[in-house]
Amino acid sequence: MKDKLTSNAQAVLEVVRTANNHPTALEIYETVREQRPRIGVATVYRILHNLVEQGHVKEINTSEESCRYDGRISRHDHAICTVCGALIDVPVDVKVSEAILQAAAQASGITLSSHEVRLYGLCPSCQAKHK
Amino acid sequence: MKDKLTSNAQAVLEVVRTANNHPTALEIYETVREQRPRIGVATVYRILHNLVEQGHVKEINTSEESCRYDGRISRHDHAICTVCGALIDVPVDVKVSEAILQAAAQASGITLSSHEVRLYGLCPSCQAKHK
DNA sequence: ATGGGTGCAAATCCTTTGCATCTGC
DNA sequence: GCAGATGCAAAGGATTTGCACCCAT
């Protein structure tokens, strides 16, 4: 996991680490470009994938585009396979204290309207292909 | 919120409700097309947006594409604005009982490696624009 | 010199938009 | 007859891929 990084990769990692706003790949690209005008988008995408794979960076998916739809509108949680991306409804309610939720919302500055717990791990079929 | 649905919208809703796999918009389109060969993708996208807005359907974003990157790799939670999509790090740890997490993971069939709590609501600036 | 990393451009894929037509009321 | 819904095609945006070149080892 501690593969050494190329200088481009270091620059990208630096940008992600110092960013305070969860940048998108293209935003990262724009910023890196200020230091390294000749870098290409493709390189940034490739590097980001590597960094995620190596655990230096995490990706978060927000609700813009590329989403899946769910007919179950009652509150429930999801389990997501980190290998194949499978999305599984969690059949039990993962309880979180209301007081903690409110405190967290207040600390974040948002008015809370709902919440979701996400479990990440390997789905059954990816476990089977163990490795 | 109980606007009445067009027959196309009903067909789309039906597909989403009976799907057991959290289909993407395109998957929904393909399925609806079996019943209504003349429907277009754009219509399906428009209908899905309406259904989400009306609360008949929810959207979930999985980790394929369109994501943002986070240099903070230690576990932490996120608050997401349902209006503008702003993604805010929650500055406090939202605790979830380990026992509950394990039970949920087991019930879902996954091997749990991490989890995240997501809070949804209005961010400060969207609150300001009240309405 | 060799192989991986890189830049560039083209290709893909997903989603949205413009617009003319159609539908239900 | 009208307003909104729809189909189609074209546009747009994000990400990936193919390929030749370059660099570090």
Side-chain angles (χ1 to χ4, degrees), chain A residues 27-59:
Chain A
E27 287 164 354
I28 294 166
Y29 166 64
E30 292 300 341
T31 306
V32 171
R33 207 139 70 115
E34 292 167 11
Q35 315 299 325
R36 323 188 136 237
R38 301 196 25 86
I39 199 172
V41 234
T43 304
V44 172
Y45 277 99
R46 282 184 286 236
I47 288 174
L48 283 170
H49 287 162
N50 293 343
L51 292 177
V52 168
E53 199 163 289
Q54 296 161 203
H56 289 114
V57 151
K58 276 190 174 180
E59 45 186 30

Side-chain angles (χ1 to χ4, degrees), chain A residues 61-63 70 74-80 87-90 93-96 101 112-120, chain B residues 22 58-62 75-80 94 96 101 115-121:
Chain A
N61 351 72
T62 110
S63 78
D70 193 340
S74 56
R75 206 203 77 72
H76 62 280
D77 304 299
H78 291 107
I80 298 166
L87 182 61
I88 304 164
D89 281 335
V90 173
D93 184 28
V94 179
K95 293 210 170 53
V96 182
L101 287 175
L112 184 65
S113 60
S114 67
H115 74 279
E116 173 201 357
V117 178
R118 296 186 161 207
L119 309 180
Y120 297 99
Chain B
H22 304 287
K58 276 191 173 177
E59 45 185 29
I60 332 173
N61 349 75
T62 109
R75 206 203 78 72
H76 63 281
D77 304 297
H78 292 106
I80 299 165
V94 180
V96 181
L101 286 175
H115 73 280
E116 174 200 358
V117 178
R118 295 187 161 206
L119 310 181
Y120 297 100

Side-chain angles (χ1 to χ4, degrees), chain B residues 55-81:
Chain B
H56 289 115
V57 150
K58 276 191 173 177
E59 45 185 29
I60 332 173
N61 349 75
T62 109
S63 81
E64 309 151 27
E65 327 298 285
S66 99
C67 36
R68 313 187 83 91
Y69 294 87
D70 193 341
R72 286 182 59 201
I73 52 174
S74 58
R75 206 203 78 72
H76 63 281
D77 304 297
H78 292 106
I80 299 165
C81 178

Side-chain angles (χ1 to χ4, degrees), chain B residues 4 25-26 41-42 45-46 49:
Chain B
K4 87 174 152 334
L26 286 181
V41 235
Y45 277 99
R46 282 184 285 235
H49 287 163

